[in-house]
């Protein structure tokens, strides 16, 4: 029996440990590996314990999506503010977005949830993006343009996470080309005061 199984955790600590394990499983083996049984085994808890916290595997995936979205949008929001102040190149915003959907697993998780009929589990991601856009558009010169840029960047990053490699090969372009295109577009927008 692991030391985790013997240690009494608060409900919040237990939930956080489960989300950490779920994230690790997502990155190691993909969204199909994020099950209550696998997460429970990883943290030395019971399936019933996770049912108590999340209600179902779909609830766990929704909580994981919310956790990822909260972390990523906070990082992107800070990067946007740095880029606006001239401290940072917009490349950071593009890299954070593409990495969140690609390396961070958000694209695979979102697709998995949609394919399994769990579309409402995307609500935390969409709500986090909405909150971020509201925050950063409050002092934007052109709030509508910012919303359009967010839509474009998010869809490019999601598409790249799902089909970027095969699509780049199909059109005989370097793997990083979609990311470079997004950077170019964002730099143009910043230069034009967007």
């Amino acid at each position: 029996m692991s030391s985790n199984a013997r240690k009494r955790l608060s409900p919040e600590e237990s939930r956080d440990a489960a989300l950490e394990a779920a994230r690790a499983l997502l990155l190691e083996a993909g969204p199909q590996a994020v099950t209550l049984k696998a997460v429970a085994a990883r943290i030395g808890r019971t399936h019933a314990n996770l049912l108590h916290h999340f209600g179902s595997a779909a609830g766990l995936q929704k909580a994981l999506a919310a956790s990822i979205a909260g972390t990523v949008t906070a990082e992107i929001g800070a990067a946007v503010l740095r880029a606006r102040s001239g401290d940072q190149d917009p490349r950071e915003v593009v890299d954070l977005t593409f990495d969140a959907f690609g390396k961070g697993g958000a694209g695979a998780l979102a697709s998995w949830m949609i394919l399994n009929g769990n579309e409402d589990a995307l609500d935390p991601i969409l709500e986090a993006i909405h909150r971020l856009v509201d925050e950063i558009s409050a002092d934007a010169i052109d709030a509508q343009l910012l919303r359009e840029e967010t839509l474009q960047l998010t869809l490019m990053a999601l598409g790249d996470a799902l089909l970027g490699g095969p699509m780049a090969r199909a059109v005989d372009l370097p793997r990083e080309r979609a990311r470079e295109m997004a950077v170019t577009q964002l730099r143009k927008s910043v230069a034009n005061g967007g």
Side-chain angles (χ1 to χ4, degrees), residues 96-112:
L96 285 168
T97 306
F98 272 66
D99 289 347
F101 282 97
K103 295 175 194 171
L109 181 62
S111 298
W112 177 258

Side-chain angles (χ1 to χ4, degrees), residues 70-142:
T71 300
V72 170
T73 56
E75 291 172 356
I76 291 171
V80 166
L81 295 177
R82 284 192 300 276
R84 278 190 186 160
S85 70
D87 274 356
Q88 200 67 23
D89 187 321
R91 172 82 194 214
E92 183 185 12
V93 174
V94 171
D95 285 343
L96 285 168
T97 306
F98 272 66
D99 289 347
F101 282 97
K103 295 175 194 171
L109 181 62
S111 298
W112 177 258
M113 292 185 303
I114 289 170
L115 291 172
N116 284 290
N118 192 12
E119 290 182 35
D120 68 323
L122 295 177
D123 290 347
I125 295 172
L126 300 174
E127 290 165 5
I129 291 170
H130 183 81
R131 279 191 309 274
L132 173 63
V133 169
D134 282 350
E135 288 171 20
I136 62 178
S137 68
D139 61 347
I141 294 170
D142 187 343

Side-chain angles (χ1 to χ4, degrees), residues 43-193:
I43 63 172
R45 296 291 183 232
T46 65
H47 183 267
N49 179 268
L50 293 185
L51 275 174
H52 171 75
H53 289 292
F54 302 105
S56 64
L60 171 63
Q61 291 168 353
K62 187 173 185 175
L64 176 59
S67 175
I68 292 170
T71 300
V72 170
T73 56
E75 291 172 356
I76 291 171
V80 166
L81 295 177
R82 284 192 300 276
R84 278 190 186 160
S85 70
D87 274 356
Q88 200 67 23
D89 187 321
R91 172 82 194 214
E92 183 185 12
V93 174
V94 171
D95 285 343
L96 285 168
T97 306
F98 272 66
D99 289 347
F101 282 97
K103 295 175 194 171
L109 181 62
S111 298
W112 177 258
M113 292 185 303
I114 289 170
L115 291 172
N116 284 290
N118 192 12
E119 290 182 35
D120 68 323
L122 295 177
D123 290 347
I125 295 172
L126 300 174
E127 290 165 5
I129 291 170
H130 183 81
R131 279 191 309 274
L132 173 63
V133 169
D134 282 350
E135 288 171 20
I136 62 178
S137 68
D139 61 347
I141 294 170
D142 187 343
Q144 181 63 26
L145 178 60
L146 178 73
R147 291 176 189 287
E148 291 171 2
E149 289 168 346
T150 301
L151 176 64
Q152 180 180 8
L153 179 58
T154 301
L155 291 176
M156 284 182 79
L158 177 59
D160 186 72
L162 300 177
L163 291 170
M167 192 64 205
R169 284 190 302 277
V171 295
D172 199 27
L173 289 172
R175 175 67 179 92
E176 292 294 309
R177 187 65 183 122
R179 192 180 290 236
E180 292 166 5
M181 291 166 53
V183 170
T184 299
Q185 183 59 37
L186 197 52
R187 283 182 181 150
K188 282 181 188 174
S189 178
V190 169
N192 293 331

